[in-house]
Amino acid sequence: MLTCSTVSTGLVRLLGDLCAPPLCPLCRAALALGPAELCPDCQAALPQLPERRCHGCGGANTGHLALCPECLHLGARPWNFAVSAFPFHGLVRDAVHCYKYRRRTSLAPFLARCMTEAWTAHAEDRRLDAVVPVPLHWLRAWQRGYNQAAILSRLIANKLQVNNMTPLRRVRYTRQQARMDLAQRQKNIHRAFAVVNRAAVKNQRLLLVDDVFTTGATLAAATTALLDAGAAGVAVLTIARD
Ligand SMILES: [Zn+2]
Ligand SMILES: [Zn+2]
C-alpha cells in the first residue's frame, strides 16, 4: 500500500538523483561535462583510427589504394562506402560490450555523437534521405530489451536532420556469429532480412547503422535487401571496425 512515508522516501530519492552529479556512462566517475559525455580519463583512453581510412570497411588503411588489403581481397561490397568511429579494441571494445550486452544504454548519446562526427569527416558523399538500423530478430530484441543499433540510428538521424526509418525485418533467427569465419557468417545470414515497406525505401539514399563491422556479412545481407527493394544507394556507419 502506498503510504505518506513511501511517497516522501521516493521524493527524497528523486530529488537526490536530480541533484547528484551525472556519472560517466563507462566508469561511473562523477562528470563535470554533462550527462551525455565520457569522463576525461575514458575519453583520453579511447583508441583512435588513423586519418587515412578504407572506404570499403571504414577501418585503418595503411596501403596506397582506396581499399585496405582485406577489402581488396574480398572484392566488391554492396554499399557505396563505409565509415566507422573507432577501431574495435581496448576501451572501445569494453564500451561496446557494456552498451550491447550489459544494458548500459546511457552510452548511446556519446557513441552517436562520435559516429555522426566520423560520418561528417569521412563520408565520400554526405547526401542522405534516411538512416536505417540493422534490425534484431524479435526474439533477440525481446531477450535484450532493446536494439542497440536502433537507439543509435534515432540519435544519428536527429543530429543529421534526416528521417529515421525501420524498413528491415529479420525474417530468420540466426545464430550468434562471434566465432564464425566469413564463409560461415555469409551462410548464416543469407536471406535473413526482408524489407517490409518497399515504397518507403524506393529511390532513397540510406545510411545503414550497426554496432561493429567485423566481416561485413550482416551489413552486406541488409544492404542487398535494401537495394533489391529499390534504394538508390546505401552507405554504412558503425561504432567500430574490428
Ligand atoms: Zn569514465
Ligand atoms: Zn577495408
Side-chain angles (χ1 to χ4, degrees), residues 54 56-57 68 71:
C54 170
C57 64
C68 72
C71 287

Side-chain angles (χ1 to χ4, degrees), residues 24-29 31 37-48 86 91-92 107 110:
C24 171
L26 204 47
C27 72
R28 300 320 227 179
L31 273 183
E37 287 303 311
L38 296 194
C39 73
D41 288 348
C42 285
Q43 294 220 22
L46 289 172
Q48 300 292 330
F86 297 105
L91 201 60
V92 169
L107 278 161
F110 174 77

Side-chain angles (χ1 to χ4, degrees), residues 144-218:
R144 193 170 292 167
Y146 58 99
N147 174 0
Q148 68 281 358
I151 299 174
L152 294 172
S153 171
R154 274 198 299 275
L155 293 167
I156 293 165
N158 193 273
K159 283 177 187 294
L160 295 174
Q161 300 197 313
V162 294
N163 289 332
N164 180 58
M165 215 193 262
T166 53
L168 285 168
R169 293 288 178 277
R170 287 238 189 194
V171 288
R172 283 200 302 111
Y173 188 81
T174 51
R175 288 179 296 137
Q176 294 276 18
Q177 303 195 115
R179 289 191 184 81
M180 295 183 193
D181 64 22
L182 175 62
Q184 289 169 322
R185 284 175 187 237
Q186 281 171 332
K187 191 162 176 243
N188 186 45
I189 206 77
H190 184 63
R191 293 189 185 280
F193 297 100
V195 172
V196 290
N197 188 351
R198 297 174 77 89
V201 161
K202 197 165 173 56
N203 298 325
Q204 297 287 293
R205 293 163 299 192
L206 303 174
L207 177 58
L208 186 62
V209 166
D210 204 3
D211 44 38
V212 181
F213 188 120
T214 307
T215 62
T218 301

